[in-house]
Amino acid sequence: MTMKITEHRTHSDRHRTFYRACGPESGPLIIMMHGWPELSISWRHQLVYLGSRGYRAIAPDMRGYGGSSIYSEHEAYAQSEI
C-alpha cells in the first residue's frame, strides 16, 4: 500500500508556511529541509518511504519559496527571522 502525501498550511501573525506530510501523526517526527532552489516536493519519495515505516515525515516550503510567505524586504530573510 502506498502512503499518501497530504498538503497543509499553517499561519502566524508574521508568516504563512506550506508543508507536505506523510505517515501517522503519532509517529516520530522527521522534518526534511530543502535548499535553494528546491521546494518541499523534492522530498516526495523520501516522505512516502519514511511515512510507510511509521515516521511522521514533514517537508515545508522554506520562507520565500513555493506556498510559504514571500517577502520583498531583504531583512525578512535574516537568520533571526527564520
Side-chain angles (χ1 to χ4, degrees):
M1 179 173 139
T2 301
M3 297 291 296
K4 181 179 178 184
I5 296 174
T6 55
E7 296 182 352
H8 307 267
R9 287 173 178 75
T10 186
H11 301 81
S12 73
D13 291 339
R14 298 176 36 213
H15 185 70
R16 176 185 74 250
T17 300
F18 171 86
Y19 66 96
R20 290 178 167 84
C22 190
E25 291 185 13
S26 61
L29 179 63
I30 297 178
I31 301 174
M32 315 291 283
M33 308 302 275
H34 67 78
W36 185 86
E38 301 293 333
L39 296 170
S40 59
I41 193 73
S42 302
W43 295 109
R44 64 191 175 279
H45 302 295
Q46 293 86 350
L47 291 173
V48 170
Y49 178 85
L50 293 165
S52 68
R53 281 149 183 80
Y55 292 95
R56 178 64 170 175
I58 293 176
D61 280 345
M62 300 302 291
R63 179 178 282 239
Y65 291 87
S68 293
S69 296
I70 299 173
Y71 302 93
S72 58
E73 309 85 33
H74 179 74
E75 296 78 20
Y77 298 95
Q79 187 66 38
S80 60
E81 296 296 325
I82 297 173

